[in-house]
């Protein structure tokens, strides 16, 4: 006799063994976390050499040891961040997952889910489904990383990327944009890691896939 399917299963496997995050997604997520950590901490060291604002980052929080070392880390990390990000986007778009997982998305759904989350009433029973707050936060992270890469290109090769530089409002504006995008991504990471700590099952799924 055929084994009955689990009522919520898409694969016919029992609950708990269903694939939540495919291998390519987990692989790119953790590589991205590594690349972003390298970029942010080496970026802080580069910033310290010529601060844009009235403060410096504590040297102990930075990567590279000195300006030259930090630049080496930043340029190495930039290839990993960009190649990995493009692969993630191509897989996400090509498989139709981006549309399935992150849309529809409305301001109303976001307001409802945010209110429920703040009251501690947002269900996290089905890990295959992102709520509207997660959808917006993750789409924001993707957009913000794209802004970081584009403004970074202007700072790196200002002459070669002249059109992009003009679009961003000039070299100095690109520096501010790059810094603000870094600060927003850092804020995302703090909240993201806190949320994961509150629902540790999500971490297991992002490591094992199931
Ligand atoms: C450092 C930079 C990081 C960025 C930019 C980032 C970004 C993201 C994004 C965009 C997603 C959604 C991916 C998708 O479904 O396509 C995601 C999911 C996730 N991330 Fe991160 N992440 C970072 C670091 C981390 C770290 C350090 C942890 C672990 C502590 C973590 C744990 C997770 C988990 C568990 C999920 C799945 C959430 C769920 O199923 O509810 N991430 N992350």
């Amino acid at each position: 006799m055929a084994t009955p399917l689990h009522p919520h299963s898409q694969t016919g496997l029992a609950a708990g063994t269903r694939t939540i995050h495919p291998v390519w997604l987990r692989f790119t997520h953790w590589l991205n976390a590594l690349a972003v950590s390298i970029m942010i901490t080496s970026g802080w060291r580069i910033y310290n050499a010529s601060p844009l604002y009235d403060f410096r980052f504590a040297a102990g929080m930075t990567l590279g040891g000195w300006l030259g070392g930090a630049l080496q880390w930043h340029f190495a990390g930039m290839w990993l961040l960009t190649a990995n990000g493009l692969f993630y986007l191509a897989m996400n778009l090509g498989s139709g997952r981006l549309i399935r997982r992150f849309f529809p998305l409305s301001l109303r759904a976001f307001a409802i889910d945010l209110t429920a989350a703040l009251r501690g009433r947002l269900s996290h029973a089905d890990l295959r489904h992102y709520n509207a707050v997660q959808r917006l936060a993750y789409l924001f992270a993707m957009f913000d990383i794209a802004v970081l890469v584009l403004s970074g290109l202007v700072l790196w090769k200002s002459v070669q990327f002249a059109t992009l530089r003009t679009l961003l409002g000039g070299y100095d504006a690109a520096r501010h944009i790059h810094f603000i995008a870094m600060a927003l991504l850092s804020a995302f990471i703090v909240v993201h890691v806190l949320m994961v700590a509150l629902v540790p099952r999500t971490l297991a799924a992002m490591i094992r896939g199931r």
Side-chain angles (χ1 to χ4, degrees), residues 21 25 29-30 32-33 36-37 88 92 97 101-102 124 127 130 134 138 141-142 145 185 188-189 192-193 196 202-203 206:
H21 301 302
L25 187 267
H29 176 268
W30 293 118
N32 181 60
V36 166
S37 308
Y88 165 82
N92 228 358
R97 181 182 176 276
R101 273 251 168 171
F102 296 94
H124 218 82
L127 296 185
Y130 288 146
Q134 282 176 301
Y138 295 157
M142 295 172 210
I145 290 175
L185 189 62
F188 163 84
I189 294 167
H192 184 50
V193 172
V196 172
T202 59
L203 182 59
M206 194 42 109

Side-chain angles (χ1 to χ4, degrees), residues 130-159:
Y130 288 146
N131 61 56
V133 178
Q134 282 176 301
R135 287 178 183 192
L136 193 71
Y138 295 157
L139 285 171
F140 167 77
M142 295 172 210
F143 171 78
D144 194 56
I145 290 175
V147 169
L148 277 164
V149 171
L150 293 177
S151 54
L153 286 177
V154 171
L155 302 182
W156 178 44
K157 298 272 181 202
S158 182
V159 175

Side-chain angles (χ1 to χ4, degrees), residues 13 20 23 27 37 41 48 50 59-60 75 77 95 104 117 121 141-142 162 177 181 191 196-197 208-209:
L13 296 172
I20 296 166
V23 174
F27 191 72
S37 308
T41 51
N48 278 355
S50 170
F75 291 145
S95 65
R121 288 200 197 133
M142 295 172 210
I177 291 172
V191 177
V196 172
R208 294 169 55 231

